[in-house]
Amino acid sequence: MNAILAIAHKDLKLLLRDKTGFFFTFFFPIIIAVFFGSIFSDNGGKPVGLHVMIVDNDQSVASEAFIAQLEASDEVSVQRSLKEEAVERVRLGKEVAYIEIKKGFGDAQERMFWGAPPEIELGIDPARRGTAGMLQGILMKYGVNAFQKRFSDPSLMRRSIQDSLDGIQSGSTMDDSRREHLTGFLTELDAYLDQPTPNVDGTGSGNGGFGGMNPLVVTARDVALEKRGPQSGYAISFPQGIMWGIIGCAASFGVSLVIERTRGTLMRLRTAPIDQLHILGGKALACFVTTCVLAAGTLGIAMLFFGIRPNSLVLLGISIISISFEFVGIMMLLSVLGRTERSAAGIGWAVLMMMSMIGGGMLPLFIMPEWMQTVSDISPVKWAMIAMEGSIWRQFSLNELLVPWMVLWGIGSVGFLSGVWMFRRSRSE
Amino acid sequence: MIALMNVTKSFGKTVAVDDLSLRIEPGEIFGLLGPNGAGKSTSINMTVGLLNPDKGRIAIGDGGSPHDPAVREQLGIAPQALALYDELTAMENLRFFGKIQKMPSGVLKDRVPELLCKIGLWDRRNDRIKTYSGGMKRRLNLAVALIHHPRIVLLDEPTAGVDPQSRHALFESIGELRRDGVTVLLTTHYMEEAEKLSSRVGIMDKGRLLALGRVSDLIASHGGKSRLYAQRADREFFLETDDPMAELVGLQAGGTLLQFKVESPDLEHVFLNLTGRNLRD
């Protein structure tokens, strides 16, 4: 045990004296977390929506009201612009999309029952097609809002009917039969609006019209945050920052064993009267302590300065220990695969980057194809992220965390045992 | 005692050590001489148990295996590479390797300063060794091998790339090991180092042990004749002879010698005669 402690103490001392390594191990993850956390959060700590350019070619009361709705929304943040500038910025990839309100938007909204509908053009960056559907949905929502408001307000509705009747009478392009039917329908509708109607809940008496008609009510709720309300983007960026720190830590310690081999110090350790397991145990202990300190320290900063409030410190502590164990095991395996510092570093980063990519550490899992999401189950990063996020903001219970913890310990054990086996085997080469 | 019995080790198709047999007695300083790639370091690595021989057997001390921790406690090794931690001080390096050798803290407290004084690094004890010269690191490399008072020390090219001052200090340290009765196996490709330090020498080339014995015996049997150059007023002489003194007396009888020079055979000649090429080729 003394040999393990001596080796761990020596490795930690070496880490602390390597200023660059120390910075990238302990401070870089915090910088990543703060940087991305600030990008994904506004000043109030609430998530920021898509930023889009908006071009108002109608300059009407209706178009202004439509823009005001968008400006007040959480889903998008808009910036007014001329069309040429908007198109250019999207083409250059500086903006996700632009929205052009076509001329005649307001008039078209007024005449609800005939003529061309109000028109909006959505210009989207081809590289961000995934957001096009989302934006269309948002625009439809606010477009429908205008109609809904009109339907539920008898005076506005009556004005629309009257405008439509005037338009139908003066319109020359409509055939007589259609004009007759539409005139009859609108006259009946106008008469209907004179009658008091019950409210939508069936009680009392409304003030006419369609009684606050609402075709569909959709209430959005952040299910993971329902107990505490919304947290900031830092709740997402800090676990990712910690993850990257732990990955870097595992890669560094993996390379350190190869450095010992190439510099000859491993020869001294292997010829000392200690078991081979002590050598690896010392390295593993140093890596474990470093990752735990890194995670705990970074989370401490997140809690002190960025308002992160984990559901349970005990569950979070167990998650951190489990994640550290997992990556110590992976480090053990990586450390025996490389023969030179360069090859070990290359293998380490290639493997860890791949794990991170397919595990959701770089790209969100939800944008990946379904088969890829299934494949991601083999990535240790995925399980580490589940355990960490589950303990910090997904509000996982003890039972829900048991599965990721067991996977983490399983991967760590397999990595550690494989590393020990290969290390022992390398003696006889 | 170190005994290698018919030891063979190959890496792929390359035979690094071919049927090597030698026995080093307690208290002896044995030099393994040969050019780079002769198989010296592979032999050392097998002796300390870092490599397993493909054939043959190795016995250390009272016949123990180098894999036995009790045997390894008796071994000290100074690898050819400077096997030290650059970011640690000399003191910290010695303390760390002492702990790895299971030395109690109380013993280390006295042993570390003792060794630092002996190798002339006491004044620099708290400096990180990345600031040391090559010679200082080489001395510390040897000190680490000796931290736990080993009875058997293996030195792989102990003076490689050091300045004359550090070389002298290293020779002093190895001389002290002889006086303390420590068994030493050293590898080198410097023949003067082997001649000066070793009581017996083995000459290796291409994995094979070509000759083994006392330096004087090897020179006598494989070194060839002495070379005599002499100049008299009437002519010059260049002779190869077993008895240069007798030749000089004969030449003097024929006329007054203006100058002469006798070149005795050394291990370089031994190696040349055994392999047909120079040691540093």
Side-chain angles (χ1 to χ4, degrees):
Chain A
M1 192 62 193
N2 284 341
I4 292 176
L5 291 176
I7 292 170
H9 182 242
K10 177 263 299 174
D11 276 336
L12 292 172
K13 201 180 269 184
L14 290 174
L15 175 68
L16 292 176
R17 289 191 181 170
D18 176 6
K19 290 187 178 67
T20 309
F22 184 76
F23 171 81
F24 277 99
T25 302
F26 292 105
F27 289 101
F28 197 61
I30 296 171
I31 291 171
I32 288 178
V34 172
F35 177 71
F36 285 104
S38 63
I39 285 176
F40 294 121
S41 298
D42 63 15
N43 291 335
K46 291 178 181 175
V48 173
L50 285 169
H51 187 266
V52 293
M53 310 290 283
I54 193 150
V55 180
D56 185 0
N57 283 337
D58 192 45
Q59 301 287 333
S60 63
V61 175
S63 68
E64 193 55 44
F66 183 74
I67 292 172
Q69 276 189 312
L70 291 178
E71 284 174 335
S73 77
D74 286 338
E75 297 105 319
V76 288
S77 65
V78 295
Q79 182 185 336
R80 292 167 192 256
S81 164
L82 294 173
K83 184 165 184 186
E84 291 75 17
E85 184 197 2
V87 171
E88 191 63 6
R89 288 185 69 80
V90 173
R91 187 183 71 78
L92 294 173
K94 292 179 178 174
E95 301 289 345
V96 176
Y98 71 84
I99 297 164
E100 181 193 2
I101 302 173
K102 295 281 190 183
K103 192 153 184 61
F105 176 88
D107 290 342
Q109 212 169 55
E110 288 294 318
R111 51 167 202 273
M112 293 173 64
F113 304 102
W114 71 287
E119 192 183 346
I120 285 173
E121 180 179 299
L122 178 62
I124 196 94
D125 180 351
R128 307 285 295 271
R129 285 198 192 283
T131 54
M134 198 171 10
L135 270 173
Q136 277 177 332
I138 292 167
L139 294 175
M140 286 300 289
K141 169 185 163 185
Y142 290 110
V144 168
N145 273 355
F147 281 97
Q148 184 186 324
K149 190 178 174 190
R150 200 165 288 268
F151 266 92
S152 57
D153 185 333
S155 61
L156 281 175
M157 189 68 180
R158 186 164 285 127
R159 206 176 74 200
S160 283
I161 291 170
Q162 197 52 56
D163 287 347
S164 297
L165 284 170
D166 293 346
I168 290 164
Q169 295 308 321
S170 61
S172 57
T173 54
M174 194 178 290
D175 63 65
D176 291 342
S177 168
R178 189 151 181 253
R179 180 180 289 127
E180 189 182 333
H181 281 109
L182 203 51
T183 303
F185 166 69
L186 291 173
T187 307
E188 287 291 324
L189 187 58
D190 194 33
Y192 172 76
L193 289 173
D194 285 338
Q195 298 173 19
T197 54
N199 287 328
V200 285
D201 59 2
T203 61
S205 178
N207 57 355
F210 289 89
M213 183 208 77
N214 199 348
L216 176 66
V217 176
V218 178
T219 307
R221 190 180 64 174
D222 291 335
V223 290
L225 307 176
E226 62 184 358
K227 290 179 187 170
R228 292 186 183 279
Q231 289 193 8
S232 68
Y234 297 112
I236 298 162
S237 66
F238 266 87
Q240 286 189 322
I242 291 167
M243 204 63 251
W244 277 104
I246 289 175
I247 286 172
C249 202
S252 302
F253 273 95
V255 172
S256 79
L257 191 67
V258 181
I259 291 173
E260 299 242 22
R261 182 182 292 131
T262 54
R263 299 218 175 145
T265 46
L266 186 62
M267 184 185 191
R268 284 200 197 278
L269 298 180
R270 287 185 118 172
T271 53
I274 57 173
D275 193 274
Q276 307 298 298
L277 202 59
H278 291 154
I279 300 171
L280 293 182
K283 284 262 172 241
L285 181 60
C287 183
F288 182 78
V289 169
T290 307
T291 52
C292 284
V293 169
L294 158 73
T298 308
L299 280 169
I301 288 170
M303 291 165 67
L304 278 175
F305 301 108
F306 296 95
I308 305 302
R309 295 286 174 268
N311 182 36
S312 160
L313 284 176
V314 175
L315 295 182
L316 179 58
I318 298 171
S319 288
I320 288 174
I321 288 170
S322 305
I323 293 166
S324 296
F325 180 81
E326 179 196 41
F327 277 89
V328 164
I330 292 169
M331 181 274 291
M332 288 277 89
L333 187 55
L334 292 177
S335 69
V336 293
L337 291 178
R339 286 281 151 199
T340 64
E341 291 171 39
R342 192 177 296 230
S343 68
I347 292 169
W349 275 109
V351 170
L352 291 168
M353 287 281 271
M354 186 57 73
M355 285 176 178
S356 191
M357 281 176 77
I358 65 172
M362 296 172 94
L363 296 170
L365 284 172
F366 67 83
I367 67 165
M368 294 182 184
E370 199 170 331
W371 66 269
M372 195 69 185
Q373 293 184 33
T374 308
V375 168
S376 71
D377 283 349
I378 65 168
S379 170
V381 173
K382 176 178 180 174
W383 295 101
M385 289 300 291
I386 289 173
M388 193 139 46
E389 290 184 349
S391 314
I392 295 175
W393 59 272
R394 286 191 187 277
Q395 311 288 313
F396 277 20
S397 66
L398 174 64
N399 283 339
E400 288 167 328
L401 279 167
L402 279 177
V403 171
W405 287 347
M406 284 166 66
V407 173
L408 295 174
W409 283 87
I411 293 171
S413 302
V414 169
F416 191 87
L417 294 174
S418 305
V420 170
W421 179 75
M422 290 174 75
F423 187 70
R424 284 183 186 277
R425 194 167 162 266
S426 67
R427 169 196 284 276
S428 62
E429 287 176 357
Chain B
M1 183 271 293
I2 302 171
L4 284 79
M5 290 161 273
N6 305 104
V7 171
T8 297
K9 181 69 186 177
S10 299
F11 298 103
K13 291 180 179 173
T14 306
V15 181
V17 175
D18 189 4
D19 199 28
L20 174 66
S21 290
L22 59 88
R23 183 185 172 90
I24 302 166
E25 297 302 330
E28 183 182 12
I29 296 188
F30 185 91
L32 208 48
L33 184 67
N36 291 329
K40 306 186 301 286
S41 294
T42 304
S43 302
I44 288 261
N45 286 344
M46 285 191 289
T47 305
V48 295
L50 286 173
L51 290 171
N52 288 333
D54 300 334
K55 285 183 204 163
R57 201 170 77 81
I58 293 167
I60 308 282
D62 297 325
S65 158
H67 297 304
D68 181 356
V71 170
R72 277 195 259 155
E73 276 182 34
Q74 303 174 40
L75 287 176
I77 179 163
Q80 186 173 350
L82 293 164
L84 303 163
Y85 296 105
D86 278 353
E87 292 293 338
L88 300 184
T89 66
M91 199 112 156
E92 289 168 336
N93 267 288
L94 284 168
R95 272 196 200 135
F96 169 69
F97 285 110
K99 283 181 191 169
I100 293 300
Q101 293 291 346
K102 298 184 175 175
M103 292 178 77
S105 298
V107 178
L108 270 175
K109 199 176 168 188
D110 296 330
R111 178 64 172 159
V112 170
E114 179 194 335
L115 271 173
L116 285 170
C117 289
K118 202 175 271 186
I119 60 173
L121 290 176
W122 176 251
D123 291 342
R124 299 286 305 273
R125 64 189 180 281
N126 291 323
D127 293 343
R128 294 187 197 178
I129 64 158
K130 67 180 179 184
T131 63
Y132 285 12
S133 69
M136 292 161 79
K137 286 181 184 175
R138 190 60 69 181
R139 280 183 270 157
L140 184 61
N141 199 40
L142 175 62
V144 169
L146 305 178
I147 182 77
H148 57 297
H149 295 291
R151 300 308 305 153
I152 299 166
V153 176
L154 296 102
L155 309 175
D156 195 0
E157 302 279 359
T159 63
V162 301
D163 55 275
Q165 186 192 348
S166 290
R167 183 181 296 248
H168 177 73
L170 286 163
F171 282 6
E172 287 284 309
S173 300
I174 296 168
E176 275 185 39
L177 295 177
R178 186 204 308 271
R179 287 191 287 279
D180 293 344
V182 175
T183 307
V184 178
L185 168 58
L186 73 91
T187 73
T188 181
H189 62 276
Y190 296 119
M191 63 166 188
E192 65 273 22
E193 190 171 301
E195 280 181 355
K196 190 165 186 174
L197 296 173
S198 314
S199 45
R200 278 196 310 146
V201 169
I203 296 178
M204 282 190 85
D205 189 39
K206 295 178 180 171
R208 294 189 68 85
L209 188 64
L210 303 178
L212 177 69
R214 294 186 173 280
V215 174
S216 55
D217 293 343
L218 287 177
I219 291 171
S221 55
H222 301 288
K225 297 176 188 296
S226 296
R227 294 172 180 195
L228 171 63
Y229 165 77
Q231 188 182 13
R232 237 170 29 192
D234 55 340
R235 58 177 291 203
E236 290 182 354
F237 299 90
F238 183 76
L239 305 167
E240 289 197 349
T241 173
D242 288 328
D243 192 350
M245 284 308 293
E247 291 289 345
L248 277 173
V249 170
L251 290 172
Q252 179 73 21
T256 305
L257 284 177
L258 299 176
Q259 61 175 324
F260 70 91
K261 185 174 151 191
V262 177
E263 202 175 88
S264 300
D266 57 17
L267 283 175
E268 186 78 51
H269 293 97
V270 174
F271 189 80
L272 180 67
N273 290 331
L274 286 170
T275 65
R277 56 196 173 89
N278 286 314
L279 193 56
R280 290 179 183 81
D281 283 350

